Amino acid sequence: MSVLKSSRIWLTMGVATMTMLVGFATAGLNAPTQAGADPVPAYFYLDVGASESLGFQPTPDTPHGVPTDEGYANDLVAHEAARGIDVELTQVGCPGETTTTMLNGDDHCYGGVDTQLAAAMTFLSDHQDEQGIVTIDLGFNNIRRCLHREIDNEDCVDKQLSDVRTDLPLIVQSLKSVAGPDVTFVGLDHYDPYLAFEIRGGAATEFAHDSEHVMDRLNGVLQYVYSSSDVPMADVDDFFDGKDRSLVTLTGVGSVPNNVAQICHLTWMCASGPYGPDFHPDDEGYSTIAESIEAVLPAPW
């Protein structure tokens, strides 16, 4: 895993100077062209969301994770570069971001009246004449607080899903209202990291089964919102084989459902300390998410 060094820093500013965590990645050179031909145009990629949007992964010194240059946004830029498409990445995500903090602030990155939404809208306003892509990765942190200490708090889930159903359309429409005509939006659903608890047995297995129901409800809300907003959704859960219960052999564990094995393989949930358990994807997991995004991108992507 390649972890960003000190060249990537947290920038804390007001809206005028935009408080945000920004990561820039240059995805190679334009594809070679014949003499006199127009070069392949450059695109922007605005990556909106929480810690997963920043490629967070645990390290021995920071078990809760740090941003890396191995996230799905970085992978997508690299994939497009291999196809001769030059994409410049801008990340404005914030660890722990919910749909509510996205609208109202009060998160770990944006202070006072500043919000990630305002930063993203400012970026899009400044790039209206350009072609680009915007990915929106929100919703998981809303319900994560409801699945604490292996307990499924149904009242909490109902409240948080209601918030997502109310907040996310406002976020999507706000972003689309300031985006140029050549901007493509993609929303993301979420895999269920809590499936990994199934290998523990007993009450933990019951919790894992409960979490499937909760994550299905979340993904249903996300699908409804994005579809209603004419935004394609990357089916991350499907790419993680989230519904495949066929039995496979997991090294060191034995026979388990494939969706459980995939969570162990594509995230840090089954890793021992200091790396896990951690619900963030590993390198291969982020690459898989990038593939799910590519699957719904229209031409020329």
Side-chain angles (χ1 to χ4, degrees), residues 30-96:
N30 288 330
T33 59
Q34 296 179 351
D38 292 332
V40 175
Y43 298 82
F44 71 76
Y45 175 8
L46 177 63
D47 184 21
V48 173
S51 57
E52 185 178 88
S53 74
L54 301 170
F56 259 61
Q57 297 195 51
T59 71
D61 295 329
T62 54
H64 294 296
V66 295
T68 75
D69 59 6
E70 299 291 342
Y72 62 75
N74 309 98
D75 290 334
L76 187 60
V77 168
H79 293 173
E80 298 309 311
R83 298 171 56 199
I85 300 176
D86 184 22
V87 182
E88 184 176 75
L89 172 63
T90 298
Q91 294 169 287
V92 295
C94 181

Side-chain angles (χ1 to χ4, degrees), residues 183-202:
V183 176
T184 298
F185 285 82
V186 176
L188 279 68
D189 74 356
H190 211 281
Y191 58 88
D192 180 4
Y194 303 104
L195 288 172
F197 284 91
E198 186 165 335
I199 65 178
R200 298 184 184 181

Side-chain angles (χ1 to χ4, degrees), residues 239-252:
F239 273 69
F240 273 56
D241 292 340
K243 301 296 182 291
D244 184 358
R245 299 287 296 177
S246 60
L247 295 180
V248 299
T249 299
L250 181 62
T251 302

Side-chain angles (χ1 to χ4, degrees), residues 42-45 88 123-133 179-184 301:
Y43 298 82
F44 71 76
Y45 175 8
E88 184 176 75
F123 177 92
L124 290 173
S125 295
D126 291 341
H127 294 77
Q128 282 197 338
D129 296 330
E130 300 177 26
Q131 295 177 295
I133 176 177
D182 298 317
V183 176
T184 298
W301 302 96

Side-chain angles (χ1 to χ4, degrees), residues 132-299:
I133 176 177
V134 179
T135 53
I136 305 172
D137 189 357
L138 294 166
F140 174 70
N141 283 329
N142 287 71
I143 59 91
R144 184 168 65 92
R145 65 187 63 184
C146 308
L147 299 171
H148 188 55
R149 298 186 184 278
E150 300 179 34
I151 297 175
D152 172 11
N153 185 331
E154 293 186 7
D155 290 339
C156 176
V157 171
D158 290 342
K159 169 61 168 61
Q160 291 301 319
L161 290 179
S162 177
D163 287 349
V164 174
R165 192 178 294 108
T166 300
D167 297 340
L168 190 56
L170 296 175
I171 293 168
V172 174
Q173 293 307 319
S174 295
L175 293 172
K176 293 183 74 173
S177 71
V178 295
D182 298 317
V183 176
T184 298
F185 285 82
V186 176
L188 279 68
D189 74 356
H190 211 281
Y191 58 88
D192 180 4
Y194 303 104
L195 288 172
F197 284 91
E198 186 165 335
I199 65 178
R200 298 184 184 181
T205 296
E206 183 178 351
F207 169 73
H209 294 165
D210 289 343
S211 76
E212 285 188 87
H213 176 62
V214 173
M215 294 302 297
D216 283 347
R217 292 181 63 193
L218 171 64
N219 288 336
V221 170
L222 295 175
Q223 177 67 69
Y224 173 78
V225 171
Y226 289 129
S227 177
S228 299
S229 302
D230 293 323
V231 171
M233 188 182 77
D235 196 343
V236 176
D237 184 55
D238 183 58
F239 273 69
F240 273 56
D241 292 340
K243 301 296 182 291
D244 184 358
R245 299 287 296 177
S246 60
L247 295 180
V248 299
T249 299
L250 181 62
T251 302
V253 177
S255 181
V256 300
N258 183 53
N259 58 353
V260 175
Q262 286 292 86
I263 289 299
C264 290
H265 181 58
L266 299 175
T267 77
W268 296 92
M269 283 298 292
C270 300
S272 57
Y275 292 99
D278 187 287
F279 55 79
H280 290 103
D282 54 24
D283 287 356
E284 188 166 351
Y286 279 120
S287 180
T288 301
I289 296 175
E291 291 173 6
S292 75
I293 297 171
E294 289 183 310
V296 298
L297 285 175

